[in-house]
Amino acid sequence: MYNITVGGMHPSTICVEMKKFSASLRGLLDVLTSEYPEESMSEFIQNFARTDEVMPEDRTLGFVVANRDRKVVALSFSHLPDEVMREVESIAGRFRDSGFQVEIDVS
């Protein structure tokens, strides 16, 4: 689940399937560093937001909270497979290189 603040635009929480998570996290950096964040946010939603019906067996593994103006990204997960965690760490480095403060919490 994503909660993203970009300028005056604050969309509803965006649900992303786990299989698209790494790509969506890379896409989030593009949104947060874009000269046209509103347009980039619309593309992000089109590319990554889950559109099918939520089922009872679905579960939320974590949250990503991002604020473009404050240059902060916080990631919190109940569990991540080791391979995905390595990708998250790598992508987090790109956020840091772009001047963002990044917090990662895996319980």
Side-chain angles (χ1 to χ4, degrees):
M1 300 285 254
Y2 281 86
N3 186 317
I4 305 168
T5 301
V6 177
M9 184 179 181
H10 186 69
S12 301
T13 300
I14 301 164
C15 181
V16 174
E17 290 182 79
M18 193 63 200
K19 66 183 178 185
K20 293 183 178 181
F21 176 68
S22 294
S24 70
L25 194 55
R26 285 188 295 274
L28 177 62
L29 181 58
D30 294 337
V31 170
L32 297 178
T33 58
S34 173
E35 291 184 38
Y36 306 100
E38 289 82 9
E39 290 85 359
S40 296
M41 188 68 208
S42 294
E43 286 179 30
F44 180 87
I45 291 169
Q46 288 175 348
N47 291 335
F48 299 112
R50 183 175 171 176
T51 57
D52 60 335
E53 184 178 346
V54 176
M55 302 302 289
E57 64 271 9
D58 292 341
R59 58 191 185 119
T60 300
L61 296 179
F63 292 90
V64 177
V65 178
N67 187 306
R68 181 178 193 256
D69 294 340
R70 293 184 180 177
K71 296 196 82 119
V72 174
V73 177
L75 301 99
S76 179
F77 303 97
S78 59
H79 169 76
L80 278 181
D82 291 340
E83 180 181 319
V84 175
M85 188 61 204
R86 284 190 292 276
E87 276 190 87
V88 167
E89 288 286 354
S90 174
I91 298 166
R94 292 179 54 207
F95 277 93
R96 289 182 182 108
D97 292 345
S98 296
F100 284 84
Q101 177 183 343
V102 180
E103 298 175 14
I104 302 173
D105 176 46
V106 180
S107 309

